[in-house]
Amino acid sequence: MLVNRILKHGKKSLAYQIIYRAVKKIQQKTEANPLSVLRQAIRGVTPDIAVKARRVGGSTHQVPIEIGSTQGKALAIRWLLGASRKRPGRNMAFQLSSELVDAAKGSGDAIRKKEETHRMAEANRAFAHFPFHLLLFHGSFIFPECILIFGLILLLMIDSTYDQKDRPWFYFISSTSLVMSITALFFRWREEPIISFSGNFQTNNFNEIFQFLILLCSTLCIPLSVEYIECTEMAITEFLLFILTATLGGMFLCGANDLITIFVAPECFSLCSYLLSGYTKRDIRSNEATMKYLLMGGASSSILVHGLSWLYGLSGGEIELQEIVNGLINTQMYNSPGISIALISITVGIGFKLSPAPFHQWTPDVYEGVRCYIVGSHPSETTSVIGASVDKRITLR
């Protein structure tokens, strides 16, 4: 972990040389086991608690949060290296050795950073007792998505409780959830851009345009499917659940601000699309469409994860988009060949998953086996998801 944090320009051998020289200097200064000094310094700087900026009641507070041992060591190493770079000295090995010796003795900038963090956590300890309040506060930023989640839960409860299924009620609940989500988006229009959930989700007018398009496509898809489902006497609950879940995945992708959400949200959208493609399971063409869609979706997901892992590694282990940009600048890896590999992999992965040209060769076979009301809504929703994906690419650049 220490080597990866020192690493710059992709030169791991240089990072090892800096550590070895620092260890020798520590041995010369203290005449003690340098590894023991290193462990003592990291143990002394490791915080017991951390603080994170969160908006509470219209203002930003540094709310204390509990951290594990691994995260605490990562913070300690980051503080030690940051304090080392600020010290006067001939080279990085001398600066690092001096800071480690001071930290082992209980002094230095890294120790002061730990004490300052503990004091700030103690001063804001009152906010740590309101997790439910914070959950409600952040939940207000995803209120349209919460409406869809409530609609999904209501459909599942009705379907599992009552033996006689009243189809109009299912249509009414699904359509009402979608319409209420659209209404909530309209009320939130022209508000200032907001980043919530500790930087993992962002809300702005640009994202809300694509969320509105996704909701509109799903709202139109439900009445178009009523006549066909009644004629074929197929299960209605599963169909509505797939539609709402796919809509939910697309909406979360529009506001995603970290790599995990950017991967999980399209998978939620894609998995429901696979199931909708094979909804008429007695049709051979529908089964073929589902199989091709599933294979291409699985392959594209693996390529997408490969590209995201490159970004994660090159940025120094960051997952938030802005932190990735800052990490690439700090490590000076933004012009490395790895960035090209990452962007190409992400483009290909998203391209084969959403099938814009020139990644659309497999799409006609899938559309041939899919019902017309799903085909009518899927391209528009895909266009909206593509727009959200382009927004993420622009943010990274």
Side-chain angles (χ1 to χ4, degrees):
M1 189 183 294
L2 182 61
V3 174
N4 292 334
R5 288 293 179 180
I6 295 177
L7 184 68
K8 277 194 174 183
H9 303 288
K11 299 178 181 178
K12 185 167 282 191
S13 59
L14 179 60
Y16 276 112
Q17 290 178 11
I18 292 173
I19 293 177
Y20 293 150
R21 291 172 186 171
V23 167
K24 289 181 180 178
K25 291 182 181 295
I26 291 173
Q27 190 173 16
Q28 293 172 1
K29 291 178 180 179
T30 62
E31 296 182 356
N33 187 355
L35 295 180
S36 299
V37 175
L38 177 61
R39 294 192 190 97
Q40 186 177 354
I42 294 176
R43 194 181 305 115
V45 180
T46 301
D48 300 324
I49 197 170
V51 293
K52 205 158 194 176
R54 289 179 176 173
R55 290 186 61 84
V56 180
S59 58
T60 303
H61 296 274
Q62 299 294 330
V63 178
I65 57 173
E66 296 181 358
I67 57 174
S69 59
T70 303
Q71 189 176 359
K73 289 179 181 178
L75 282 175
I77 292 173
R78 182 184 301 176
W79 292 345
L80 284 168
L81 293 178
S84 301
R85 294 189 177 101
K86 295 177 181 178
R87 294 179 72 100
R90 296 184 297 273
N91 50 47
M92 183 60 186
F94 178 80
Q95 296 168 336
L96 180 60
S97 62
S98 301
E99 185 62 33
L100 289 174
V101 171
D102 289 346
K105 295 178 180 179
S107 60
D109 291 343
I111 293 292
R112 283 193 290 272
K113 178 68 174 178
K114 173 191 173 182
E115 294 174 351
E116 180 185 348
T117 301
H118 282 183
R119 285 195 300 268
M120 191 177 300
E122 183 67 22
N124 295 278
R125 185 174 58 180
F127 295 103
H129 300 292
F130 298 104
F132 185 69
H133 170 73
L134 291 176
L135 180 61
L136 290 178
F137 184 75
H138 286 297
S140 62
F141 298 126
I142 57 169
F143 186 63
E145 291 85 352
C146 291
I147 293 175
L148 292 182
I149 294 173
F150 179 76
L152 284 168
I153 296 173
L154 191 59
L155 283 175
L156 287 172
M157 291 177 60
I158 295 176
D159 183 64
S160 59
T161 304
Y162 296 99
D163 295 332
Q164 294 183 352
K165 306 300 187 298
D166 194 356
R167 289 175 180 261
W169 271 107
F170 290 117
Y171 292 121
F172 176 77
I173 293 172
S174 304
S175 302
T176 303
S177 301
L178 293 168
V179 172
M180 289 178 65
S181 297
I182 293 176
T183 306
L185 280 179
F186 277 125
F187 278 108
R188 204 169 62 183
W189 183 253
R190 294 185 180 277
E191 289 186 358
E192 292 295 327
I194 298 172
I195 295 180
S196 56
F197 290 99
S198 302
N200 296 327
F201 196 80
Q202 61 178 347
T203 304
N204 54 48
N205 291 340
F206 184 78
N207 294 339
E208 289 174 359
I209 293 173
F210 295 103
Q211 289 179 341
F212 170 74
L213 292 176
I214 293 173
L215 287 169
L216 182 62
C217 295
S218 300
T219 305
L220 295 176
C221 179
I222 292 177
L224 291 174
S225 61
V226 171
E227 184 178 357
Y228 180 83
I229 293 177
E230 288 181 351
C231 292
T232 55
E233 296 183 353
M234 291 190 301
I236 181 60
T237 310
E238 289 80 0
F239 173 76
L240 296 175
L241 289 174
F242 296 155
I243 289 290
L244 292 181
T245 308
T247 306
L248 192 63
M251 292 183 67
F252 273 118
L253 177 61
C254 293
N257 198 42
D258 67 290
L259 298 183
I260 297 175
T261 311
I262 289 174
F263 173 72
V264 173
E267 287 303 302
C268 181
F269 176 83
S270 299
L271 288 172
C272 293
S273 299
Y274 306 154
L275 297 171
L276 286 172
S277 301
Y279 188 63
T280 53
K281 56 185 178 181
R282 298 174 183 174
D283 190 350
I284 298 177
R285 292 180 301 175
S286 181
N287 295 333
E288 180 184 357
T290 305
M291 184 59 64
K292 290 182 178 179
Y293 201 176
L294 180 61
L295 292 175
M296 292 302 302
S300 62
S301 296
S302 61
I303 298 173
L304 177 61
V305 170
H306 181 70
L308 296 179
S309 64
W310 273 93
L311 277 183
Y312 177 80
L314 292 173
S315 62
E318 302 291 347
I319 61 172
E320 295 180 13
L321 297 185
Q322 188 57 48
E323 294 297 331
I324 289 174
V325 175
N326 297 335
L328 293 175
I329 294 174
N330 293 334
T331 58
Q332 298 183 3
M333 299 294 289
Y334 49 86
N335 288 327
S336 65
I339 286 294
S340 301
I341 297 174
L343 293 180
I344 291 173
S345 300
I346 292 173
T347 302
V348 172
I350 294 177
F352 276 110
K353 187 176 289 292
L354 302 180
S355 70
F359 306 102
H360 63 290
Q361 294 87 354
W362 59 275
T363 312
D365 292 336
V366 174
Y367 278 3
E368 185 179 355
V370 179
R371 299 300 96 192
C372 60
Y373 47 84
I374 300 175
V375 174
S377 66
H378 182 71
S380 301
E381 292 189 3
T382 300
T383 304
S384 302
V385 175
I386 291 173
S389 304
V390 171
D391 179 34
K392 308 308 171 192
R393 289 282 304 279
I394 293 172
T395 303
L396 283 176
R397 291 188 177 184

